[in-house]
Amino acid sequence: MARTNKDRKVYICTTPQPTDLNQAAYEALTWVEVSNVGAVGEAGTNTNIVSYDELSTDVTQKGKGISNAGDPTIECARNPTDPGQIALRAAAKTNFTYAFKFEDKDAPDASHTNSVYYNRGLVTGPTRPNGRNEDFILEVFTLALNQREIVVDPVSLVVGTNSALPSITGASLAQGATLTALEGTWTGNPTSYTYQWQADTSGNGTFTNISGATGKTHILAAGQSGDAVRVGVIAVNPAGASTVAYSLPVGLVAA
């Protein structure tokens, strides 16, 4: 399905990146969104075509020469307080290379990601087109890119799986103390978590749900003396909810 540029987002990493990055390295960076962007210029790699004619040439021989990773412009409605625009202005004053991310809004459905484009380059500008009385105040930055663009097409999201069990922290195991669930490590980039606290009330290793105990924290209540306690965590992302992963139990709760 064809898409427009509407809702495209532009990001910069404020930490200079002096060497080429692969997709995983780009994805690990911290990004700042550039707001109030009105247009993004032409991007992509353009390769010179070189040719050589011999005395006997009938048809010119051609080959690929040096490639240019692109020099796209970013046009913004000037916003003096936007963190992304502030980062671009700061980058333009240096001779350092920065990483950029462009994200389309083209996921085919909620269970897929959007298309993402990564690259690195210098920042120049801003220039100001100025204009007449009803023209917006604009700033235009140019990105002098120096790595071949990495394009990540939409991919199907998968339900998260647990790779490191949840755990429990708390100052004490006395009644009235507050326990806190740590979610552990999950694949699938969870966007939220659900919790269910359980207690072993019989002392035989059988855990049952504690009624109403579905938050990240749990206050040990009267009547839980001698119980072992654990928490179950479910990770949720746009693809759905994971299977529950349980922490190791803590206890026994003191009177």
Side-chain angles (χ1 to χ4, degrees), residues 12-164:
I12 180 174
C13 175
T14 58
T15 304
Q17 303 297 322
T19 58
D20 284 357
L21 304 174
N22 58 23
Q23 180 181 337
Y26 276 115
E27 291 174 345
L29 297 178
T30 300
W31 300 99
V32 178
E33 183 178 357
V34 181
S35 298
N36 310 108
V37 175
V40 176
E42 179 180 308
T45 301
N46 182 34
T47 302
N48 293 335
I49 302 298
V50 297
S51 61
Y52 179 73
D53 294 337
E54 300 175 3
L55 294 177
S56 59
T57 297
D58 179 48
V59 176
T60 297
Q61 302 175 69
K62 296 179 181 179
K64 291 184 177 180
I66 298 172
S67 295
N68 182 353
D71 304 283
T73 56
I74 300 177
E75 177 190 286
C76 305
R78 187 176 191 276
N79 183 342
T81 61
D82 174 64
Q85 292 191 28
I86 291 171
L88 282 174
R89 294 184 198 107
K93 294 178 181 179
T94 77
N95 198 33
F96 303 141
T97 299
Y98 295 85
F100 304 96
K101 178 173 77 169
F102 303 86
E103 182 177 0
D104 293 336
K105 189 176 182 181
D106 65 344
D109 54 54
S111 66
H112 285 74
T113 63
N114 294 317
S115 294
V116 177
Y117 311 80
Y118 295 110
N119 215 321
R120 299 181 311 113
L122 304 167
V123 182
T124 67
T127 59
R128 299 181 184 85
N130 297 322
R132 296 179 62 84
N133 61 350
E134 289 189 342
D135 292 329
F136 283 94
I137 299 172
L138 303 178
E139 289 189 333
V140 180
F141 299 87
T142 300
L143 309 184
L145 303 177
N146 52 24
Q147 178 179 340
R148 289 185 182 272
E149 183 180 59
I150 294 177
V151 180
V152 184
D153 293 324
V155 296
S156 176
L157 292 169
V158 295
V159 173
T161 57
N162 180 260
S163 55

Side-chain angles (χ1 to χ4, degrees), residues 185-203:
T185 304
W186 299 80
T187 64
N189 298 313
T191 54
S192 63
Y193 299 92
T194 64
Y195 310 88
Q196 177 62 66
W197 293 84
Q198 296 186 328
D200 176 10
T201 58
S202 62

